[in-house]
Amino acid sequence: DAQMTQSPSSLSASVGDRVTITCRASQDISNHLAWYQQKPGKVPKLLIYAASNLQSGVPSRFSGSGFGTDFTLTISSLQPEDVATYYCQKYNNAPLTFGGGTKVEMK
Amino acid sequence: QVQLVQSGAEVKKPGASVKLSCKTSGYNLTNYYMHWVRQAPGQGLEWMGIINPSGGRTAYAQKIQGRVTMTTDTSTGTIYMELSSLTSEDTAMYYCLRDRGGGGYSGIPDYWGQGTLVTVSS
């Protein structure tokens, strides 16, 4: 089963900064990669699917890229409402493994 | 509209079992796979398994294989997840999720239940 490794585990950035989170799969998962945002006490929200497809209603400052084993989530200009924990998830087959999460805080 | 309404919080002793429910509405349950995901306090997300409500075929995470059973009651539109031999490590928020595949598997959830907190404590 493919393991998903996210980095960094946490980061602190300022409003307007470009933020990049990486996710590495231990096996080739093609583009079967999703990104979620979870705010404290809330249900996770789907941001990106198929590695680079923006879910409807998600701001365009979020983008995803990658294929195979290496993937990236980018927030082009960090906003206060983006403070959250972000998870990647592979879904090519079971088990649908999540990465360990990246906590994004405001500097 | 699509809704997934989960059963209420549970407190269990170590060694006990818990059976959670997820009542669906607003769509035909048999047309969509369903997942269960859990999240221990302050920890990340852990996928537990998937069920195809049309036929009841399941696949479970290896970590809980042998302790978990997912079932469906299509007459009420409800899915269930039973976890046995509970330990403190099973203390978590448990979520049911609808797979958005619509007739097939996609692996991407489009709706989440509100979650059920399970606390395992002596």
Side-chain angles (χ1 to χ4, degrees):
Chain A
D1 299 335
Q3 302 303 310
M4 307 301 293
T5 303
Q6 269 183 252
S7 61
S9 57
S10 65
L11 65 89
S12 180
S14 300
V15 173
D17 282 355
R18 184 180 183 88
V19 170
T20 300
I21 299 168
T22 64
C23 180
R24 174 164 289 176
S26 61
Q27 301 172 14
D28 187 338
I29 59 169
S30 183
N31 70 334
H32 296 106
L33 192 282
W35 290 97
Y36 297 86
Q37 175 194 67
Q38 187 179 32
K39 297 183 179 181
K42 300 294 186 182
V43 168
K45 172 187 174 183
L46 178 66
L47 299 176
I48 303 279
Y49 63 96
S52 61
N53 289 19
L54 196 67
Q55 172 69 2
S56 175
V58 174
S60 58
R61 62 180 180 274
F62 291 92
S63 65
S65 64
F67 190 90
T69 60
D70 293 305
F71 302 88
T72 299
L73 173 70
T74 300
I75 308 173
S76 60
S77 177
L78 188 69
Q79 299 302 303
E81 60 267 32
D82 300 334
V83 169
T85 300
Y86 294 82
Y87 296 93
C88 63
Q89 179 215 5
K90 70 99 172 171
Y91 59 87
N92 55 321
N93 53 28
L96 279 60
T97 309
F98 290 90
T102 297
K103 187 174 185 179
V104 174
E105 297 175 314
M106 202 64 71
K107 198 178 286 184
Chain B
Q1 71 282 23
V2 173
Q3 286 192 308
L4 308 178
V5 179
Q6 298 185 229
S7 48
E10 301 265 9
V11 179
K12 295 292 182 181
K13 293 193 181 303
S17 297
V18 68
K19 188 171 185 178
L20 309 182
S21 67
C22 173
K23 176 82 166 73
T24 71
S25 61
Y27 74 100
N28 187 340
L29 174 62
T30 59
N31 288 346
Y32 293 83
Y33 287 68
M34 298 291 291
H35 303 263
W36 287 88
V37 166
R38 69 180 179 179
Q39 186 170 34
Q43 301 301 309
L45 300 165
E46 179 184 12
W47 181 82
M48 300 180 68
I50 184 172
I51 182 167
N52 180 353
S54 177
R57 186 173 178 181
T58 56
Y60 303 132
Q62 188 174 11
K63 180 180 177 181
I64 54 174
Q65 185 89 36
R67 294 200 297 130
V68 63
T69 305
M70 296 179 186
T71 55
T72 303
D73 183 345
T74 56
S75 67
T76 62
T78 304
I79 64 167
Y80 298 91
M81 190 284 296
E82 184 169 20
L83 190 62
S84 63
S85 302
L86 293 170
T87 73
S88 59
E89 293 187 354
D90 296 313
T91 293
M93 184 71 79
Y94 289 74
Y95 297 100
C96 61
L97 292 61
R98 191 183 83 161
D99 188 295
R100 71 183 198 181
Y105 166 84
S106 79
I108 304 167
D110 56 359
Y111 289 92
W112 293 60
Q114 84 278 16
T116 297
L117 181 62
V118 175
T119 302
V120 182
S121 174
S122 55

